[in-house]
Amino acid sequence: MTTIDIGSLDPARTVVVATGNPHKVIEIEAILSTVMRDVRFVALGELGDFPDPVEDGETFSDNAHIKAVAALDETGLSMAVADDSGLCVDALDGAPGILSARYAGTHGDDAANNAKLLRELADVPEGRRGAHFHSSVVLVERDGDGEGATAGNGDCNGRIAFQARGDGGFGYDPLFLPDDAPGRTMAELSPAEKNAISHRFHALQDLARLL
């Protein structure tokens, strides 16, 4: 990833995206640039190597807000956007929820997380395997008068398959069968197909509507 000198950026026209993933920046910019014109979107990872904040919020929106505020504190810029998302399974009372990335104990261990989810749902029949991905995207703006935040929320509804299928995506994508793509898991969709129905896409649309 290229490195950008923070000092070369105009704080009034720069939004730092709290991610090291340049593809996520492209996805966010594609929607928010329609309402935030003449603004440059840059990934936090392009500005330096910063520590991850402690995500100890009680909701997805809380954790997205924590990440956006941390990005402003670390860079000294005036606008930051961050998202937090996860899988909520009806039969598990909404779990893994905000613990999705570390459901099996180790953060980011997709294989272990998926294996645990299948174990938890081993005796749950087809009709009770409903679930949804949820995303909260928060824009934090800071100036001399203080700080304000705007949050957008979105869902992608579906159900959990009995076995993993597909090589695309990440996380729980191989197990998630979205309602908007009958018969295929999220991991069997192309990136364009996934982005068109994803929870983050809907959350970004919601945020753009509020700005």
Side-chain angles (χ1 to χ4, degrees), residues 1-210:
M1 180 179 292
T2 59
T3 300
I4 298 172
D5 178 7
I6 296 176
S8 69
L9 300 173
D10 179 354
R13 296 185 179 278
T14 303
V15 175
V16 56
V17 182
T19 181
N21 185 343
H23 298 292
K24 186 180 289 189
V25 177
I26 292 172
E27 182 183 357
I28 289 173
E29 182 176 14
I31 295 175
L32 295 188
S33 63
T34 63
V35 292
M36 300 180 72
R37 297 177 177 84
D38 301 320
V39 169
R40 180 179 181 181
F41 291 79
V42 298
L44 180 62
E46 293 178 293
L47 303 180
D49 184 15
F50 301 103
D52 293 329
V54 177
E55 298 175 36
D56 55 1
E58 296 182 358
T59 66
F60 292 108
S61 186
D62 288 343
N63 284 335
H65 186 267
I66 287 169
K67 287 186 277 191
V69 169
L72 293 184
D73 291 342
E74 290 160 349
T75 63
L77 293 171
S78 303
M79 294 182 287
V81 65
D83 79 289
D84 194 61
S85 59
L87 178 68
C88 304
V89 179
D90 298 345
L92 301 179
D93 296 323
I98 60 172
L99 301 178
S100 291
R102 53 189 185 277
Y103 188 41
T106 300
H107 192 282
D109 189 338
D110 293 346
N113 290 336
N114 281 311
K116 180 177 180 178
L117 181 61
L118 287 177
R119 288 196 303 271
E120 295 288 338
L121 296 177
D123 298 323
V124 178
E126 176 77 26
R128 295 186 53 240
R129 298 175 76 89
H132 68 274
F133 275 118
H134 179 83
S135 174
S136 292
V137 182
V138 175
L139 172 70
V140 176
E141 300 176 87
R142 181 181 288 171
D143 59 27
D145 296 323
E147 189 175 281
T150 307
N153 294 281
D155 295 310
C156 180
N157 297 316
R159 57 191 175 85
I160 304 302
F162 287 91
Q163 60 184 19
R165 296 204 317 261
D167 300 319
F170 57 91
Y172 299 95
D173 287 356
L175 291 177
F176 186 77
L177 293 156
D179 290 345
D180 290 332
R184 291 186 291 170
T185 68
M186 197 74 98
E188 293 177 305
L189 304 180
S190 70
E193 288 174 319
K194 177 183 174 179
N195 289 342
I197 65 172
S198 77
H199 43 303
R200 186 181 299 115
F201 172 76
H202 292 303
L204 285 167
Q205 284 190 317
D206 187 41
L207 177 58
R209 180 180 58 82
L210 296 172

